[in-house]
Amino acid sequence: MARTTNTAPKAPKEPGRLKQMYQVFQMTRRYDSLAIWFLLLAFLGPVLIGLVLAFLLSRDQILGFVLYIVAGVLGGVLVFLIVLGRRAERAAYSQIAGQPGAVGAVLKSSLRNGWTASEMPVAVSPKTQDAVYRAVGRGGVALIGEGPRSRTQPMLEGERRNITRILPNVPVTFLYVGPDAESVPLHKLPVKLRSIKSALRKPEILAVSNRLNSLGRNGLPIPKGMDPTKVRAPRPR
């Protein structure tokens, strides 16, 4: 009888770094027609600067001439990768723009410089799926409405009343991400947050964030006339 061996199927091999970069480039080019021109400029600019410096400063020195050219090429590769990452991120956001939860995805992946937020909204309209997200940072509290401004503004006002009731001295800023002309484009939301004027120090940011998180945990109302600490179990008959 032939002996059979049970071999587990091999996991698919992950693509290498160069292949991943090529896939990102193809995706970016597919959704961003101007990306290839920005990438060419990003690479060729430092290379040309390196060539100019080589001719001006090291024309008679072979080693210096070569080093300037190599530095220009390396600089071009670095700037190329930075621009590719930015354009790829913008292309990815363009695919989810207008979908419920898009703002949460941006807040989860792109917040920096002292801003914190949750990908889960603090308020959602069950009828229209419009949502309100909350971020806390050096600029105070930012409330971000996801949906048309005419529908999200009342939701933002309601959340601001809840915040000012417990934190009256913390500034609250409204931002809108939606179909309106004056709304913030999805890929510019992190930049818009960072542009808000600083109002809190780092310890204050943590204190405000903790206070607002406790507000979310204690948001369920208690029925009037009932004290849950004095409720007694019914006596057995």
Side-chain angles (χ1 to χ4, degrees):
M1 178 180 294
R3 185 171 59 182
T4 59
T5 57
N6 295 327
T7 58
K10 294 182 179 180
K13 186 178 180 180
E14 295 185 358
R17 184 63 57 86
L18 291 178
K19 187 173 182 180
Q20 291 178 359
M21 290 175 54
Y22 180 74
Q23 291 173 349
V24 171
F25 170 75
Q26 292 290 0
M27 184 274 295
T28 306
R29 189 181 65 172
R30 189 179 305 118
Y31 292 98
D32 186 355
S33 58
L34 297 177
I36 189 170
W37 300 108
F38 282 99
L39 293 172
L40 282 174
L41 181 62
F43 177 73
L44 294 178
V47 173
L48 291 176
I49 293 175
L51 286 172
V52 171
L53 292 177
F55 279 106
L56 292 178
L57 303 178
S58 299
R59 181 180 304 177
D60 299 327
Q61 301 177 4
I62 298 178
L63 180 60
F65 190 89
V66 173
L67 289 178
Y68 274 114
I69 294 177
V70 172
V73 172
L74 293 177
V77 172
L78 178 61
V79 178
F80 175 90
L81 293 177
I82 294 174
V83 174
L84 177 61
R86 298 286 178 85
R87 304 300 293 194
E89 184 180 63
R90 179 172 180 173
Y93 289 158
S94 70
Q95 298 179 57
I96 63 173
Q99 299 181 16
V103 170
V106 174
L107 295 178
K108 179 183 178 181
S109 62
S110 300
L111 280 191
R112 292 183 292 272
N113 293 345
W115 282 91
T116 60
S118 172
E119 63 178 319
M120 300 300 297
V122 295
V124 179
S125 172
K127 184 177 181 180
T128 62
Q129 298 300 309
D130 297 332
V132 175
Y133 295 83
R134 185 177 63 214
V136 181
R138 294 188 181 277
V141 178
L143 294 176
I144 305 149
E146 183 181 67
R149 181 168 183 169
S150 59
R151 297 202 303 248
T152 57
Q153 186 166 2
M155 300 172 65
L156 295 175
E157 293 288 354
E159 289 300 319
R160 176 160 63 181
R161 286 193 294 270
N162 294 335
I163 294 171
T164 54
R165 187 171 63 249
I166 62 172
L167 298 168
N169 297 323
V170 176
V172 179
T173 304
F174 286 178
L175 298 176
Y176 299 91
V177 177
D180 306 284
E182 66 274 12
S183 296
V184 180
L186 191 62
H187 68 276
K188 291 185 178 181
L189 180 58
V191 178
K192 191 67 175 179
L193 284 172
R194 293 195 294 269
S195 68
I196 298 175
K197 185 179 179 180
S198 296
L200 300 178
R201 297 188 298 271
K202 190 173 182 179
E204 294 172 332
I205 295 172
L206 181 60
V208 169
S209 180
N210 292 336
R211 189 70 182 91
L212 291 176
N213 290 335
S214 67
L215 172 66
R217 289 193 295 268
N218 300 327
L220 294 178
I222 298 175
K224 293 182 179 180
M226 179 183 296
D227 188 348
T229 62
K230 297 181 180 180
V231 175
R232 296 180 181 179
R235 294 181 179 179
R237 295 180 179 178

